[in-house]
């Protein structure tokens, strides 16, 4: 059995499995291809532009967020990077040990931490980002500039829709279908 299936093979297997099940196939195709594209792009960027800097995708995204915002609360870094606070803690420790990032206490609220890049971190991003962007260009090389902008706009609309309506939808689903009790009779805190 092959370790990796092509997009076409996967789509054929999905169609066989789902058969006559009544679903919105257009939504399935859009979201599954969005996920597969994101995973494939991430893997390509980690194995090309980020490899020389010995950075994972998540570490790069943390550096990117801090580079853009200059000094930002760690909780906001985690949210912007789409990672948990626990995952961020490990990434920060690695970046601090490499001399790329600096964690400091928030001046107005000692319970909060701020993250900023060191001069070495800024210099790394200034060197790394052009190579990263060259790989972004490679990823969309088969698209025209107009197609790239249309794709970006379409993805922006999806993100905006989820930012504006996703929490209400998730709350609605929680009310419709409460989480079943865990083993031992305890319910998950909501």
């Amino acid at each position: 059995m092959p370790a990796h299936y092509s997009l076409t093979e996967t789509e054929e297997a999905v169609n066989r499995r789902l058969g006559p099940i009544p679903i919105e196939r257009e939504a399935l195709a859009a979201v599954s291809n969005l996920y597969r594209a994101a995973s494939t792009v991430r893997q390509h960027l980690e194995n090309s532009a980020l490899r020389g800097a010995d950075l994972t995708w998540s570490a790069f995204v943390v550096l990117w967020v801090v580079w853009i915002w200059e000094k930002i609360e760690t909780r906001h870094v985690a949210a912007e990077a789409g990672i948990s606070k626990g995952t961020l803690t490990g990434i920060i420790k690695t970046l601090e040990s490499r001399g790329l990032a600096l964690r400091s206490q928030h001046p107005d609220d000692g319970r909060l931490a701020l993250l900023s890049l060191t001069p070495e971190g800024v210099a790394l991003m200034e060197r790394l980002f052009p190579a990263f962007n060259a790989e972004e260009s490679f990823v969309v090389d088969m698209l025209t500039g107009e197609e790239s902008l249309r794709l970006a706009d379409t993805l922006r609309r999806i993100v905006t829709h989820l930012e504006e309506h996703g929490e209400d939808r998730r709350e609605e689903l929680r009310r419709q279908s409460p989480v079943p009790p865990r083993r031992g009779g305890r319910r998950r805190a909501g």
Side-chain angles (χ1 to χ4, degrees), residues 1 17 22-23 25 29 54-55 63 72-73 76 86-88 105 109 128 138 150 161 169:
M1 180 165 26
R17 170 57 65 193
I23 60 168
R25 292 185 188 274
D54 193 28
L55 291 172
L63 286 171
I72 181 171
E73 289 180 24
H76 296 309
T87 298
L88 178 62
Q105 200 170 32
D109 187 340
L128 179 59
F138 172 78
R150 251 194 336 263
H161 170 69
R169 174 66 174 166

Side-chain angles (χ1 to χ4, degrees), residues 5 48 71 178:
Y5 297 100
S48 59
K71 190 174 262 192

Side-chain angles (χ1 to χ4, degrees), residues 16-81:
R16 278 193 308 276
R17 170 57 65 193
L18 297 176
I21 297 173
I23 60 168
E24 293 186 33
R25 292 185 188 274
E26 296 84 1
L28 168 66
V31 173
S32 61
N33 283 332
L34 175 62
Y35 174 78
R36 189 167 185 132
S39 296
T40 303
V41 168
R42 174 182 174 160
Q43 183 178 22
H44 172 76
L45 290 167
E46 279 188 334
N47 291 320
S48 59
L50 301 180
R51 181 177 293 259
D54 193 28
L55 291 172
T56 64
W57 174 261
S58 296
F60 173 76
V61 173
V62 167
L63 286 171
W64 167 259
V65 168
V66 179
W67 188 43
I68 294 302
W69 293 105
E70 296 182 9
K71 190 174 262 192
I72 181 171
E73 289 180 24
T74 54
R75 62 185 171 148
H76 296 309
V77 175
E80 290 292 317

Side-chain angles (χ1 to χ4, degrees), residues 75-97:
R75 62 185 171 148
H76 296 309
V77 175
E80 290 292 317
I83 58 177
S84 71
K85 292 180 205 169
T87 298
L88 178 62
T89 298
I91 291 170
I92 291 171
K93 286 180 182 179
T94 300
L95 295 176
E96 285 178 319
S97 73

